[in-house]
Amino acid sequence: MGETTTASPALVSAPALAAALQQWRPHNPLPPWDEALAQHALAPMYRLSASSIVDEVKSATQLVGEVTERLRRLARAYGEWRVFEPGPYFDLTPAQVALLTRVVERAATVHVVFFVDALLPSFQATHQTAAQMSLSVSVSAEQHEMIYATLTGHWQRMLKIIDGTRTEMQHDISFLAFNGAAEERARWAHVSPNTITGSTAPWALTPASALPTLTLAVDFPLPAFRQPGRKRRLMRTWQRLYRQPANRKYQ
């Protein structure tokens, strides 16, 4: 089966944003930040404090804990839905679902990803400034340098907050179990800086394989009654067992 939500936009994690910045070219602007993730548009559990790095790390740590708890309960809850709806389950609007989640049903398993990075105020500020810079090809060199300096500051703050949150969660069993960083990094590991952005930009200094991200992921068995071809597989198994010589004495 295919994904039960629309494909998630590219710029929803630090590795994705770094890849977009590294591949940016003039007259090819980055996707803009989506207003669906503005603080006022989010459910209370997703509204994070950004008054200081310490406050944002604290609120991000709490959010990661709450999302991991929902992911932990999802394996049992999934089978209670005829068609799983991530919006009501995660308390998200349809637009937010498309941005923050990916739900993929496979033959016998379900794979769920939740992009926490995109909810961080520091990530959003970085994304907005990056999109602004990608549109600034017609401004003066001085204005472009100012935007670049602002973007650099936002990028460095964002990494501090993601790193700080991961440090706070390093002994949390649920976070370790649902840590989707490796998968998200691998999605963007093939991207390398182009000749325009260069390899000295702050978002190009850290290899994709080492960029921090709070992306979460979980795999769990697809409920048996939802598995395609389940009856056919059971029948084949029954026939195979029935035909074994050791079982013929029970005929």
Side-chain angles (χ1 to χ4, degrees), residues 102-106 109-113 183 217-220:
R102 182 183 299 120
V103 180
V104 183
E105 286 191 5
R106 297 164 178 159
T109 61
V110 183
H111 182 65
V112 181
V113 182
E183 175 186 341
V218 64
D219 290 274
F220 53 86

Side-chain angles (χ1 to χ4, degrees), residues 21-24 148 192-205:
L21 283 165
Q22 291 178 39
Q23 290 296 293
W24 171 76
Y148 184 92
S192 58
N194 60 35
T195 56
I196 296 172
T197 57
S199 59
T200 59
W203 40 86
L205 294 177

Side-chain angles (χ1 to χ4, degrees), residues 231-248:
K231 290 184 178 178
R232 188 167 56 252
R233 291 196 302 273
L234 289 174
M235 180 60 71
R236 286 200 301 265
T237 300
W238 181 84
Q239 290 173 342
R240 185 170 59 252
L241 292 173
Y242 183 76
R243 291 169 181 168
Q244 290 178 359
N247 294 329
R248 289 178 180 170

Side-chain angles (χ1 to χ4, degrees), residues 24-162:
W24 171 76
R25 288 175 172 78
H27 309 295
N28 184 27
L30 271 63
W33 173 70
D34 199 305
E35 288 285 345
L37 299 182
Q39 292 290 300
H40 65 82
L42 296 166
M45 69 171 282
Y46 298 112
R47 298 174 189 170
L48 305 184
S49 172
S51 56
S52 69
I53 290 178
V54 171
D55 285 343
E56 189 168 344
V57 167
K58 182 178 179 180
S59 57
T61 300
Q62 181 177 348
L63 172 61
V64 170
E66 292 178 353
V67 175
T68 55
E69 175 60 19
R70 295 202 182 194
L71 291 175
R72 186 188 66 79
R73 299 198 312 261
L74 185 54
R76 177 175 296 181
Y78 198 87
E80 298 176 3
W81 300 69
R82 183 175 180 183
V83 177
F84 177 65
E85 297 182 53
Y89 185 79
F90 288 108
D91 202 5
L92 300 169
T93 67
Q96 292 162 357
V97 165
L99 288 163
L100 297 174
T101 70
R102 182 183 299 120
V103 180
V104 183
E105 286 191 5
R106 297 164 178 159
T109 61
V110 183
H111 182 65
V112 181
V113 182
F114 196 103
F115 299 100
V116 177
D117 292 0
L119 290 164
L120 301 176
S122 54
F123 178 92
Q124 296 178 3
T126 306
H127 187 174
Q128 290 177 48
T129 308
Q132 181 185 2
M133 188 188 75
S134 72
L135 292 169
S136 65
V137 292
S138 60
V139 302
S140 67
E142 181 179 359
Q143 289 175 308
H144 186 80
E145 288 179 5
M146 290 177 62
I147 297 173
Y148 184 92
T150 301
L151 176 58
T152 298
H154 284 317
W155 178 264
Q156 292 170 342
R157 177 188 171 100
M158 177 191 71
L159 291 190
K160 287 180 180 178
I161 288 166
I162 295 176

